[in-house]
Amino acid sequence: MAVSPWTPPLQSQQWRSYSASAPVPARDPSFAQLTSDDVRFFQGVLGLGGVVTDDDLLAVANTDWMNKYHGKSKLLLRPRTTEQVSRVLAHCHERRLAVVPQGGNSGLVGGSVPLFDEVILNLGAMDRIVSFDEVSGILVCEAGCILEKVDAYLAERGFVFPLDLGAKGSCQIGGNISTNAGGLRLLRYGSLHGNVLGLEVVLADGTVVDTLKTLRKDNTGYDVKQLFVGGEGTLGVVTQAAILTPPKARAVNVALLACASFQDALTAFRLAKQELGEVLSAFEFFDRTCLDLVLKHHSAIRDPLPPEEDGAPPYPFYLLVETAGSNQEHDSAKWDAFLEAASAGEVVQNGTIAQDAGQAAGLWAIREGITESLAKNGVVYKYDFSLPVTDLYRLVEDTQQRIGPLGVAVGYGHLGDGNLHLNVSAPAYSDALRARLEPWVYEWTAQHRGSISAEHGLGQMKPHALRYSKADSAIELMASLKRLLDPRGILNPYKVLPDEADKRDATSKKQQT
Ligand code: FAD
Ligand code: MLT
Ligand code: ZN
């Protein structure tokens, strides 16, 4: 594929250059060390089964999904009730024990694992569906419910969870809310900021905040629950959620289309919005290298669109397009119009439409298999950007140009949301490659008015880069909220906010004088 050269900044903007590698913070000495008295206290609250000190189980809980971030926690707690969460946090607050809230541990920015000896508070044992209203579609469930199980529960009742993602078999609703996960159908159902109607949250000092409303409209002052949607476990622990769920579509159609250029992919997106309109439910893209990786690491998957002529090069770009409507005849007419428009002018070179649910799942397996294939292929530098769609793929090309033979840059993601997953696959992590990538890749994004995190969050990977996407005034407000809700900074320290430990020190010094 032709690689275009790196171009200088489009316009001068307010971004600054930071160090080439993410600074590794030192353990905050103001946090207490865990004692046997603490463990006995937790056993009294949670019972022996809720307090895990087994080395093998701790090793799993200390390691993230990518095997990139490793903590050293000696204690994993598994509460079963909100009251238990509250008593645990009140004790940690009192003792200044740092805590990492953890859901399915499928996060991709190291947010769910400790850096040092933080206590891990896993919500997985709080997995009850509390209520479901089949008229309004409003679900109330505990935070530890696994997304796929909730979706299956809803499907039996003719509804669907308004979020879907490749990690659905392990991620939890509390984790989804705390990362404000975007996923495969945000284009259709919108963000969790809109679909979460209410939350029950436990603050760092054990206070239970009840905003668990099941109303679509509630203009009674500040919408405080929104602070915890995308809060990444730094402001409170989500224990229950009320979620608006849409009806399950009766007519679902999925197609995989091949394009000769990214420009054609963008034209196809414009046509899809025009012709498929309100039934369009997903518009995903991936490049050929992604497909090659999936074919390499998933022996059961075959290339669904081999080039039509022998010896012709493979198509460079693929689109997974889905519609979800209520009337197959109506939707088929829309598809006919879309495919006719896309074929004219050869916007789309080739394509296949799933004939049944099994084939549709097969096409989705390709798109959802990219993350795992990259993980199997070596190490991955994972980036998750929001960008103006027209600039989106140029970042992949510029990255490949910049890193040369040090790695392979691939691009995939939620084109319909302007969300690029730029991943760089390499045989091993290296300072040389990292220094080529960062902070350059964040600068590129800032210059194009993008966001350094579209959906994965900041975790421990990106706090130092936050200033590329947020104004100082906004970061200062975030830090003030953190100090208000968690004055001792025990909840998920070293994550999200830059230099939070420094700020805390400064505050406590100010208070002492
Ligand atoms: P965890 O990873 O356990 O935690 C994530 C963050 O939330 C941490 O900061 C943690 O402290 C906090 N947290 C967890 N539970 C709570 C709680 N109850 N209260 C307070 N804080 C809490 N993400 C997307 O946005 N879109 C995708 O399409 C997508 N696809 C993925 C595909 C794969 C194969 C994988 C491995 C990951 C994918 N992800 C995606 C990332 C990840 O799955 C999501 O971020 C998911 O929402 C995390 O949920 P979790 O339960 O695993 O949370
Ligand atoms: C996806 O869209 O596949 C997920 O966000 C995971 C990833 O970025 O690999
Ligand atoms: Zn994604």
Side-chain angles (χ1 to χ4, degrees):
M1 188 184 306
V3 178
S4 61
W6 159 241
T7 48
L10 294 179
Q11 55 208 356
S12 124
Q13 289 186 22
Q14 284 191 327
W15 53 267
R16 301 191 216 135
S17 199
Y18 287 84
S19 68
S21 58
V24 180
R27 183 185 184 281
D28 183 339
S30 71
F31 291 133
Q33 307 270 357
L34 190 73
T35 64
S36 50
D37 282 351
D38 294 318
V39 176
R40 266 194 295 279
F41 174 84
F42 294 131
Q43 286 171 341
V45 175
L46 304 176
L48 291 183
V51 179
V52 180
T53 51
D54 174 82
D55 283 345
D56 292 341
L57 295 175
L58 278 169
V60 174
N62 269 306
T63 307
D64 76 314
W65 187 86
M66 296 175 292
N67 197 18
K68 182 175 176 186
Y69 300 102
H70 303 97
K72 300 181 190 69
S73 179
K74 294 278 175 225
L75 192 66
L76 166 65
L77 302 179
R78 293 177 56 82
R80 305 194 74 84
T81 66
T82 301
E83 198 220 331
Q84 290 179 345
V85 174
S86 168
R87 290 182 64 195
V88 163
L89 286 182
H91 179 82
C92 292
H93 179 77
E94 174 65 28
R95 285 267 299 121
R96 281 187 189 263
L97 286 170
V99 178
V100 175
Q102 189 178 73
N105 199 10
S106 69
L108 298 172
V109 289
S112 52
V113 291
L115 271 82
F116 304 103
D117 56 350
E118 300 91 289
V119 172
I120 301 171
L121 185 67
N122 189 294
L123 277 286
M126 292 181 64
D127 61 350
R128 279 183 322 124
I129 304 269
V130 177
S131 65
F132 181 63
D133 181 335
E134 298 201 11
V135 177
S136 64
I138 295 170
L139 168 86
V140 179
C141 70
E142 290 185 325
C145 289
I146 288 178
L147 174 58
E148 193 168 54
K149 290 191 182 161
V150 176
D151 199 43
Y153 169 94
L154 291 169
E156 284 169 16
R157 289 153 182 84
F159 288 79
V160 65
F161 201 86
L163 167 77
D164 188 14
L165 63 159
K168 54 183 154 272
S170 54
C171 64
Q172 299 173 7
I173 304 305
N176 298 149
I177 291 169
S178 301
T179 53
N180 185 24
L184 306 164
R185 298 206 176 70
L186 185 139
L187 171 75
R188 175 62 170 274
Y189 300 124
S191 122
L192 287 175
H193 278 295
N195 293 314
V196 172
L197 302 179
L199 287 180
E200 179 188 76
V201 180
V202 184
L203 299 184
D205 67 357
T207 305
V208 180
V209 178
D210 179 2
T211 71
L212 200 60
K213 287 275 168 49
T214 50
L215 305 169
R216 289 208 65 177
K217 300 178 83 173
D218 179 19
N219 275 353
T220 50
Y222 312 136
D223 190 358
V224 292
K225 70 173 181 295
Q226 298 296 354
L227 288 174
F228 306 97
V229 180
E232 297 189 54
T234 60
L235 299 180
V237 175
V238 175
T239 46
Q240 286 193 48
I243 293 145
L244 181 64
T245 72
K248 194 171 166 58
R250 282 197 292 267
V252 176
N253 294 281
V254 179
L256 189 76
L257 308 174
C259 293
S261 68
F262 188 69
Q263 188 52 48
D264 285 347
L266 292 179
T267 308
F269 179 39
R270 191 164 50 78
L271 293 173
K273 283 192 288 184
Q274 267 167 17
E275 302 297 342
L276 299 172
E278 77 289 353
V279 295
L280 184 62
S281 53
F283 198 95
E284 300 282 311
F285 96 103
F286 46 92
D287 62 21
R288 177 68 204 190
T289 319
C290 289
L291 178 56
D292 284 338
L293 285 170
V294 172
L295 297 175
K296 178 176 164 191
H297 294 288
H298 291 81
S299 53
I301 297 181
R302 299 265 171 275
D303 185 347
L305 296 174
E308 283 178 319
E309 288 168 31
D310 280 353
Y315 306 106
F317 293 99
Y318 297 84
L319 302 172
L320 192 148
V321 185
E322 183 193 77
T323 58
S326 56
N327 182 320
Q328 183 59 45
E329 216 175 302
H330 169 267
D331 293 0
S332 294
K334 284 176 168 283
W335 271 95
D336 289 347
F338 166 57
L339 292 175
E340 195 180 324
S343 307
E346 301 193 350
V347 172
V348 163
Q349 302 286 315
N350 200 351
T352 176
I353 299 197
Q355 298 302 308
D356 55 39
Q359 287 185 9
L363 294 180
W364 270 115
I366 299 173
R367 167 62 186 89
E368 294 186 37
I370 297 171
T371 312
E372 199 189 346
S373 304
L374 278 156
K376 286 182 177 164
N377 205 51
V379 305
V380 192
Y381 291 82
K382 253 185 180 313
Y383 301 101
D384 159 43
F385 298 115
S386 264
L387 286 166
V389 277
T390 43
D391 295 330
L392 202 117
Y393 199 74
R394 199 148 60 81
L395 177 53
V396 183
E397 296 169 335
D398 287 355
T399 302
Q400 188 62 69
Q401 167 93 346
R402 188 171 161 84
I403 62 175
L406 293 175
V408 176
V410 306
Y412 59 99
H414 317 289
L415 186 57
D417 310 326
N419 181 179
L420 167 72
H421 294 309
L422 164 70
N423 282 223
V424 173
S425 175
Y429 292 119
S430 81
D431 287 346
L433 178 50
R434 171 91 184 238
R436 294 301 287 165
L437 288 167
E438 296 176 24
W440 172 86
V441 75
Y442 296 129
E443 290 169 359
W444 197 105
T445 304
Q447 286 155 10
H448 291 79
R449 296 190 165 274
S451 166
I452 61 157
S453 177
E455 59 175 9
H456 296 162
L458 301 165
Q460 59 177 287
M461 179 187 175
K462 288 180 254 181
H464 71 293
L466 179 55
R467 289 191 169 85
Y468 288 102
S469 286
K470 269 214 159 61
D472 286 350
S473 52
I475 296 175
E476 190 41 53
L477 184 56
M478 284 169 63
S480 303
L481 289 165
K482 170 73 177 172
R483 287 192 290 271
L484 177 73
L485 297 179
D486 179 14
R488 295 187 168 179
I490 62 163
L491 276 182
N492 229 357
Y494 324 109
K495 317 270 173 70
V496 177
L497 284 161
D499 308 321
E500 188 48 31
D502 295 348
K503 287 210 180 76
R504 213 164 39 242
D505 281 355
T507 315
S508 58
K509 274 184 200 124
K510 220 191 267 170
Q511 281 163 354
Q512 282 160 19
T513 53

